[in-house]
Amino acid sequence: MVAPALAADTTSCASAPGVLRQAAATADAAKADKALRLVAVGEKLCAAGGRGEAAKKFTAAARALDTDLATIPANAPSAQ
């Protein structure tokens, strides 16, 4: 059985980068740059199996954009 936190982290690795990139596209350039750097680090952590740490980076990226992952539309295209 997969723990709920682990399942949430898996979803974050699958969807958060695309959602955050879409939000960054309409943000202030400085905020978008910081957020995109955090997203890139989060993606590398996901690839290395560090899903919990990646989730923290995605949350920080959302904060850099003055938002929360929960408030960003979930239908944003994810990065491939």
Side-chain angles (χ1 to χ4, degrees):
M1 184 161 135
V2 176
L6 181 58
D9 290 343
T10 301
T11 302
S12 294
C13 284
S15 63
V19 171
L20 289 165
R21 280 194 178 88
Q22 183 180 22
T26 59
D28 169 74
K31 290 179 181 182
D33 184 53
K34 180 176 182 177
L36 292 173
R37 281 188 311 233
L38 289 165
V39 168
V41 171
E43 289 176 312
K44 290 177 183 176
L45 287 166
C46 284
R51 298 189 188 287
E53 289 300 314
K56 292 177 187 177
K57 295 299 180 188
F58 297 144
T59 300
R63 270 192 247 123
L65 296 170
D66 295 327
T67 190
D68 186 313
L69 279 174
T71 62
I72 299 173
N75 61 354
S78 61
Q80 296 293 323

